[in-house]
Amino acid sequence: MIRVALAGNPNCGKTMLFNALTGATAHVGNWPGVTVDKREGTCKKGSEPFTVVDLPGIYSLSPYTPEEVIARNFILDNKPDCVVDIVDSTNLERNLYLTTQLMEMDVPVVVALNMADELEKNGDKIDVKLLEERLGMPVVSVSAMTGKGVKELIDRTLAAAKRKRQGVSVLGRTQLAPAVEEAAVRLRDDGVSSPLFHAIKLAEGDSLESKNHKKTAAFIRNYMHGMTDATFGEDWEAFVANARYDYITDNYSPALTRKSGEGRKLRLSEKIDRVLTNKWAGIPLFVVILFVIFHVTFSENLLFLAPALGSGGEWTMFGGTPFEGLFASSDGVSSPGVILQKLVEGLTGLISDGIGGAMESGNAAPWASGFVVDGVLGGLFAVIGFLPQILLLFLFFSLLEDSGYMARVAFLLDRIFRRLGLSGRALMPMIMGFGCSVPAMINTRTLADEKERTATVRVIPFFSCGAKLPILVGCAGALVSSSGMGNADVITMLMYLLGIVVALVSVILMRSTTMRGELSPFIMELPNYRRPGFKSTMLHLWDKAKHFIKKAFTIILASTIIIWFFSHFTWDWHYVADEEMGSSILASLGKLIQPLFTPLGFGSQLAEGGWVFAVAAITGLVAKENVIATFGTLATAIAGLGAAELDDAGINAIEALMDETGIAGAALIAFIAFNMLTIPCFAAVATARGELSKKHFRWTLLFWLASSYITSSMVYTIGAVWWTLFFWLLAWAAAVTVIVLVNRRLKKKNEQNKIKTA
Ligand code: GDP
Ligand code: MG
């Protein structure tokens, strides 16, 4: 089958075009560096099917970071039949820089001028015929967003893939030409493919290439010995780059006609940026935006209207039905997220009531209905109840990212990040971590420095992912309704912030102790503001929902069933009813590890049944949703609630557990913190193992255990007895002093060594 590779600058729309060609639902983001690995799919929309490979974005074929190497090696080694060079036509000249390099390879290239819709909206025009003539390669104007031109692109790509093409260079008239020509001949004689491309890289002094072609590298160095250029001296890399841009300006730019006068839209986006990326206002604005998002998604007291509405009672709507408090409750007016959640809860409640009723009237054994209603449905529905809020939160994040705003936040935070020992590039994987740690860890491949990468992989799980959200929302909801502690949205957001703070503190500690290292410069251009694509946003959400539901009905369902069995059978396989669950296998195992959590507030100090917290923390290691599913399965039994009373999904279960075990509010917050910061789920652990060296991986597991244990014991002790704060401060001050002193000594030693060797 014909194989076609998509190459282009970051953020030019490669992934969106990949999706348009193959019908896949890969993640599209208005953010350079979303795709870090290649991805394959099949396009069946042409006269014959062909394989499409989506590559990470690259600005040039001289790679610095691992994901740039992936893109370049794929084109060179795997020899696709055709490369589709995707060019952001609103940024023509800069994108053609890569084109001038791709055309040096002996591979057919088709240039796709993407974002044709945006170009048109800006009022600019590109003369496709003229550009095609001058490039000597097929050029097609397309819009991955609207689908315009995609058919033509497919046809011309298939046609091009069947022909051979020899590399040509735009450097032909520069003083390097003779050296390059001579080197290319030698490389061809050695049987190297794309000799022209390699010869130019050698002339530039590319270190990777010089290693691979030692003989020719020496030859070309000799040949060029003594050659200099008036402007660039012997910096041939800069010379070549400049020559490329000059050629583009002279020969290709005439194809572009800009709307006369400065683009009105450009000025508007600059005006917006003056506020959003303002040195002082930028970050507070970001926090406000985050708060609004959390408020709209999680608040049961929208706009804090409760006091204005008077005492709750009469505001409770649909009282007595499964949809009680749908639009408003005694807490206040429901936010859209809460309305959606209550709808799903009402429905799942009806289902479990229906099934429970049917089993009862069918005279099913009590253990059987207990298994189905409490065990399976209780656990499953407790998790599914959170799906609407998770999707809503992802919708907001996806809009922030797609509009181009998140890239601005990265830009704002770069200044702060540098002081912590990270480059702004590290922010992208961290923000992806709010979705799921797995792609986020893979995304760290955009970091050039190995140690920076390790440190980043380690803190990614602290950016609370979608699966941890039910823990946050469930526990926060229970805290609010049982002890009247603040608002659920505020607690949830504060827990997110706690994760971020712990991540940043850990990074500082690592970068100043075991993970010292240099920082690579951060170059990130700000993408244009864009209206997020409706289709790709919906695809993104649909993908998330599918993933979540699939997980619920596989891993989580299986775990729930196992938990129910172990909690209802004794070691000698006797069935025990709910009231005697304390003698079950699970209870005895839970009680065994329970003392470990005593310093965190949810250990031995809890009343009978407190082992559930220990068990939930352990089941969370498989999938974080399991924490809430475990509560859903066991709470009914422990609190002696009937399944019917368990209407408020996870929240109600946790509230009942709080009453029954007497867990302190501070301990429940410590419990959230522990689950958020400890070893992440199986999938994330496996990914970390793949991304890190073996030695680093082992320490990473220990690091996760230590950071979660220390942080949550801090949360608990300070929350329970406030003046222990001073002990913690003292301990931290001592640790920081030791680190500073050690670093100073190391620095001195280094300097002395340098003097000695000099
Ligand atoms: P990649 O980094 O090259 O893979 O780029 P993506 O496919 O992730 O897209 C980057 C951004 O450009 C996203 O915000 C897309 O919605 C947007 N985009 C991609 N193609 C088009 C297009 O044809 N027209 C418009 N208006 N936007 C596009
Ligand atoms: Mg991409």
Side-chain angles (χ1 to χ4, degrees):
M1 195 151 49
I2 288 177
R3 268 193 327 163
V4 172
L6 305 182
N9 286 12
N11 217 37
C12 67
K14 287 176 303 303
T15 304
M16 200 176 232
L17 192 64
F18 176 81
N19 290 349
L21 289 172
T22 62
T25 57
H27 186 138
V28 173
N30 192 7
W31 180 309
V34 169
T35 314
V36 293
D37 210 345
K38 55 181 195 286
R39 185 184 297 114
E40 284 198 13
T42 311
C43 173
K44 294 180 190 142
K45 298 180 181 166
S47 53
E48 61 179 293
F50 59 95
T51 307
V52 188
V53 185
D54 183 23
L55 295 175
I58 40 174
Y59 292 109
S60 87
L61 292 169
S62 299
Y64 295 101
T65 63
E67 103 267 17
E68 287 171 348
V69 177
I70 290 180
R72 160 193 161 131
N73 287 359
F74 184 82
I75 301 177
L76 284 177
D77 302 340
N78 294 43
K79 301 204 174 64
D81 299 292
C82 181
V83 173
V84 173
D85 172 22
I86 300 167
V87 165
D88 172 357
S89 49
T90 63
N91 216 331
L92 187 69
E93 284 107 333
R94 228 233 356 264
N95 276 246
L96 284 176
Y97 181 73
L98 178 68
T99 313
T100 63
Q101 299 182 50
L102 288 171
M103 63 199 250
E104 286 160 358
M105 297 184 175
D106 295 342
V107 61
V109 177
V110 174
V111 177
L113 298 175
N114 192 26
M115 314 235 180
D117 57 315
E118 204 166 297
L119 186 83
E120 195 177 318
K121 228 185 330 169
N122 294 349
D124 301 341
K125 271 208 177 65
I126 297 180
D127 185 342
V128 176
K129 274 264 149 1
L130 181 70
L131 196 60
E132 187 163 303
E133 222 166 80
R134 302 227 161 145
L135 281 166
M137 305 185 291
V139 177
V140 187
S141 159
V142 298
S143 165
M145 175 100 79
T146 65
K148 191 185 139 265
V150 171
K151 186 76 184 60
E152 187 192 347
L153 179 67
I154 294 174
D155 293 342
R156 300 199 67 180
T157 302
L158 279 172
K162 287 174 186 152
R163 283 195 289 268
K164 287 241 175 310
R165 196 187 69 94
Q166 195 126 74
V168 290
S169 172
V170 301
L171 303 171
R173 264 172 267 150
T174 64
Q175 58 160 316
L176 278 181
V180 166
E181 254 162 53
E182 189 58 36
V185 169
R186 285 173 177 243
L187 286 169
R188 179 168 303 127
D189 291 346
D190 290 347
V192 175
S193 56
S194 293
L196 182 64
F197 170 81
H198 291 286
I200 290 169
K201 286 284 162 252
L202 287 176
E204 285 178 12
D206 182 306
S207 58
L208 225 107
E209 288 285 329
S210 304
K211 241 188 276 160
N212 291 343
H213 307 283
K214 283 211 179 77
K215 226 174 56 201
T216 322
F219 158 77
I220 201 162
R221 281 281 134 250
N222 254 333
Y223 194 109
M224 291 167 60
H225 185 71
M227 269 169 72
T228 55
D229 174 80
T231 316
F232 297 102
E234 286 180 23
D235 187 350
W236 295 111
E237 200 179 340
F239 173 85
V240 168
N242 192 55
R244 289 187 199 279
Y245 275 121
D246 281 349
Y247 192 91
I248 291 171
T249 321
D250 293 344
N251 294 281
Y252 304 146
S253 298
L256 173 72
T257 6
R258 282 190 202 284
K259 189 177 159 191
S260 56
E262 202 165 282
R264 211 165 40 85
K265 200 168 145 246
L266 199 74
R267 267 181 286 144
L268 178 68
S269 117
E270 269 166 15
K271 258 187 213 152
I272 297 174
D273 267 348
R274 212 163 290 156
V275 181
L276 289 184
T277 62
N278 180 283
K279 205 167 159 184
W280 303 111
I283 294 196
L285 264 175
F286 178 53
V287 175
V288 170
I289 291 175
L290 276 186
F291 175 75
V292 170
I293 290 177
F294 278 87
H295 191 64
V296 172
T297 312
F298 299 115
S299 181
E300 307 212 353
N301 183 8
L302 195 65
L303 303 174
F304 304 105
L305 280 176
L309 296 177
S311 79
E314 63 269 34
W315 279 92
T316 305
M317 293 187 170
F318 301 109
T321 74
F323 298 99
E324 184 168 331
L326 183 61
F327 294 112
S329 68
S330 52
D331 298 322
V333 178
S334 306
S335 61
V338 169
I339 295 177
L340 288 175
Q341 186 220 6
K342 291 201 164 151
L343 265 179
V344 172
E345 267 171 23
L347 290 178
T348 52
L350 282 177
I351 296 174
S352 52
D353 281 355
I355 294 180
M359 288 187 86
E360 209 169 298
S361 54
N363 277 329
W367 74 266
S369 71
F371 167 69
V372 173
V373 178
D374 304 341
V376 176
L377 297 183
L380 203 58
F381 287 167
V383 174
I384 288 183
F386 291 100
L387 181 63
Q389 281 165 309
I390 292 177
L391 287 186
L392 199 59
L393 192 65
F394 279 138
L395 172 68
F396 286 123
F397 281 161
S398 160
L399 293 182
L400 287 188
E401 192 187 318
D402 246 13
S403 61
Y405 178 65
M406 276 301 191
R408 265 97 189 154
V409 177
F411 170 78
L412 272 175
L413 287 176
D414 182 57
R415 248 178 313 144
I416 303 173
F417 265 47
R418 302 231 137 233
R419 293 204 195 121
L420 311 183
L422 284 180
S423 68
R425 275 180 167 234
L427 185 76
M428 308 179 199
M430 289 180 177
I431 291 199
M432 284 176 95
F434 285 127
C436 174
S437 295
V438 172
M441 284 176 178
I442 295 173
N443 191 273
T444 58
R445 291 180 196 167
T446 55
L447 301 173
D449 177 52
E450 186 59 39
K451 290 191 166 153
E452 186 186 4
R453 215 180 144 213
T454 306
T456 310
V457 166
R458 284 181 181 168
V459 300
I460 278 175
F462 300 169
F463 295 83
S464 190
C465 72
K468 290 175 185 170
L469 199 70
I471 310 178
L472 303 193
V473 185
C475 294
L479 271 173
V480 172
S481 57
S482 82
S483 62
M485 236 168 97
N487 288 293
D489 51 340
V490 178
I491 297 181
T492 308
M493 181 160 145
L494 286 179
M495 291 315 287
Y496 265 86
L497 289 179
L498 175 73
I500 296 173
V501 169
V502 175
L504 297 184
V505 170
S506 317
V507 164
I508 300 175
L509 286 180
M510 277 189 273
R511 291 295 273 172
S512 52
T513 55
T514 56
M515 292 287 149
R516 290 185 201 90
E518 297 291 312
L519 274 186
S520 50
F522 175 58
I523 328 159
M524 180 161 135
E525 52 189 312
L526 296 183
N528 295 339
Y529 280 111
R530 279 206 179 101
R531 185 155 7 116
F534 178 77
K535 200 171 141 208
S536 64
T537 307
M538 286 304 129
L539 278 179
H540 183 55
L541 285 189
W542 170 235
D543 228 34
K544 285 271 177 222
K546 238 178 20 193
H547 176 76
F548 188 88
I549 290 175
K550 202 171 132 202
K551 214 162 136 197
F553 280 95
T554 51
I555 301 180
I556 297 163
L557 181 64
S559 310
T560 315
I561 292 175
I562 293 171
I563 289 165
W564 189 88
F565 269 102
F566 282 118
S567 62
H568 283 82
F569 281 91
T570 58
W571 286 102
D572 45 12
W573 281 112
H574 275 308
Y575 171 73
V576 287
D578 288 352
E579 304 78 53
E580 301 141 40
M581 213 160 69
S583 56
S584 66
I585 300 177
L586 198 66
S588 67
L589 290 178
K591 283 173 190 161
L592 203 66
I593 53 168
Q594 203 180 353
L596 287 178
F597 299 106
T598 306
L600 317 189
F602 49 96
S604 305
Q605 62 268 75
L606 299 186
E608 174 71 28
W611 52 270
V612 172
F613 288 95
V615 168
I618 301 296
T619 56
L621 297 182
V622 176
K624 291 292 161 190
E625 294 93 335
N626 267 346
V627 175
I628 290 297
T630 305
F631 288 152
T633 304
L634 298 181
T636 37
I638 294 204
L641 283 177
E645 290 165 83
L646 197 73
D647 54 354
D648 215 1
I651 297 174
N652 190 307
I654 300 167
E655 211 186 320
L657 265 181
M658 285 180 77
D659 288 346
E660 203 65 24
T661 59
I663 187 173
L668 196 62
I669 293 182
F671 177 78
I672 309 177
F674 180 79
N675 282 290
M676 201 164 79
L677 303 174
T678 199
I679 299 179
C681 68
F682 266 179
V685 171
T687 310
R689 198 171 144 188
E691 297 296 318
L692 299 175
S693 69
K694 215 180 208 166
K695 189 185 105 208
H696 281 158
F697 172 68
R698 272 191 223 131
W699 282 106
T700 302
L701 289 180
L702 200 70
F703 165 77
W704 284 330
L705 277 178
S707 49
S708 57
Y709 205 83
I710 294 173
T711 310
S712 35
S713 53
M714 225 162 84
V715 167
Y716 171 62
T717 47
I718 296 174
V721 190
W722 68 271
W723 48 260
T724 52
L725 172 71
F726 298 113
F727 288 101
W728 284 106
L729 285 178
L730 217 63
W732 276 101
V736 169
T737 314
V738 168
I739 292 171
V740 169
L741 287 179
V742 168
N743 273 346
R744 228 183 250 167
R745 264 189 74 176
L746 280 178
K747 211 169 159 193
K748 243 189 220 156
K749 242 193 206 156
N750 265 343
E751 270 157 21
Q752 274 167 359
N753 281 345
K754 256 186 214 152
I755 294 168
K756 258 186 225 154
T757 49

